[in-house]
């Protein structure tokens, strides 16, 4: 059996952090995810998906995410039910996140995309609104050589 969800979208509100009676952190927020097609009017519609993040990662989400920020969520779909105050059975569909990636930095507004990301709120630097500029080959090579010196002994063949 497989139950896996991968989403990229923007937060519709600031995350809400609560704690269970046992002291476990639980963070919840809603992610707006664009549909891959347009409607009859030529406009894109979005789905609004409830996300739940537990423990330390939930605390990080509450600290570093905010309304309008771009985030990627990897997790599983959960459907639970409860009896409402009126006696009616209610169903809740939500994604329980295993991993959350922050795709826009804290200093940027909600309208930009950043390729560098971190599950713990790191800032990889602004690349400008809705643009991507890959590093030049000389920069990438210098960074690789500085951080990963290889010798023939390191190769498995």
């Amino acid at each position: 059996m497989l139950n896996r969800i991968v989403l990229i979208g923007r937060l519709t509100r600031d995350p809400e952090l609560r704690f269970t009676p046992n002291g476990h952190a639980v963070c919840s927020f809603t992610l707006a995810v664009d549909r891959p097609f347009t409607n009859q009017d030529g406009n894109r519609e979005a789905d609004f998906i409830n996300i739940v993040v537990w423990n330390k990662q939930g605390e990080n989400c509450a600290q570093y995410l905010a309304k309008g920020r771009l985030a990627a969520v990897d997790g599983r779909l959960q459907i639970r039910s409860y009896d409402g105050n009126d006696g009616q059975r209610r169903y809740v569909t939500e994604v329980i996140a295993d991993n959350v990636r922050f795709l826009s930095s804290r200093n940027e507004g909600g309208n930009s995309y950043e390729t560098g990301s971190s599950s713990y709120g790191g800032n990889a630097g602004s690349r400008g609104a809705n643009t991507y500029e890959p590093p030049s080959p000389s920069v990438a090579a210098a960074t690789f050589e500085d951080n990963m010196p290889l010798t023939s002994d390191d190769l498995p063949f």
Side-chain angles (χ1 to χ4, degrees), residues 32-97:
V33 179
D34 287 338
R35 292 182 178 170
F37 53 85
T38 58
N39 62 16
Q40 293 176 351
D41 300 329
N43 298 322
R44 281 207 188 262
E45 294 180 358
D47 293 302
F48 299 92
I49 301 167
N50 296 324
I51 310 293
V52 177
V53 190
W54 287 89
N55 300 319
K56 182 64 177 171
Q57 189 166 212
E59 292 178 32
N60 290 332
C61 287
Q63 182 176 359
Y64 294 108
L65 287 176
K67 180 180 178 178
R69 296 260 176 77
L70 190 65
V73 173
D74 175 28
R76 63 183 172 83
L77 184 66
Q78 174 177 284
I79 301 170
R80 59 184 173 87
S81 64
Y82 66 94
D83 293 324
N85 293 338
D86 57 359
Q88 294 290 323
R89 169 91 47 203
R90 307 241 190 256
Y91 293 91
V92 177
T93 303
E94 55 200 3
V95 172
I96 307 301

Side-chain angles (χ1 to χ4, degrees), residues 134-142:
S136 67
S138 61
V139 171

Side-chain angles (χ1 to χ4, degrees), residues 6-154:
V6 177
L7 303 166
I8 296 177
R10 295 198 181 274
L11 276 71
T12 62
R13 59 183 168 86
D14 288 339
E16 179 182 325
L17 181 64
R18 297 180 316 276
F19 289 89
T20 66
N22 294 336
H24 295 283
V26 58
C27 178
S28 60
F29 55 89
T30 302
L31 206 61
V33 179
D34 287 338
R35 292 182 178 170
F37 53 85
T38 58
N39 62 16
Q40 293 176 351
D41 300 329
N43 298 322
R44 281 207 188 262
E45 294 180 358
D47 293 302
F48 299 92
I49 301 167
N50 296 324
I51 310 293
V52 177
V53 190
W54 287 89
N55 300 319
K56 182 64 177 171
Q57 189 166 212
E59 292 178 32
N60 290 332
C61 287
Q63 182 176 359
Y64 294 108
L65 287 176
K67 180 180 178 178
R69 296 260 176 77
L70 190 65
V73 173
D74 175 28
R76 63 183 172 83
L77 184 66
Q78 174 177 284
I79 301 170
R80 59 184 173 87
S81 64
Y82 66 94
D83 293 324
N85 293 338
D86 57 359
Q88 294 290 323
R89 169 91 47 203
R90 307 241 190 256
Y91 293 91
V92 177
T93 303
E94 55 200 3
V95 172
I96 307 301
D98 294 326
N99 188 16
V100 177
R101 293 277 183 168
F102 307 153
L103 300 179
S104 61
S105 73
R106 197 175 356 175
N107 299 331
E108 298 176 22
N111 298 326
S112 60
Y113 174 78
E114 181 176 306
T115 58
S117 63
S118 169
S119 296
Y120 302 103
N123 182 356
S126 174
R127 302 223 193 273
N130 296 324
T131 62
Y132 169 67
E133 296 176 26
S136 67
S138 61
V139 171
T143 303
F144 178 76
E145 290 172 3
D146 292 342
N147 293 329
M148 295 285 294
L150 293 176
T151 64
S152 61
D153 295 335
D154 294 325

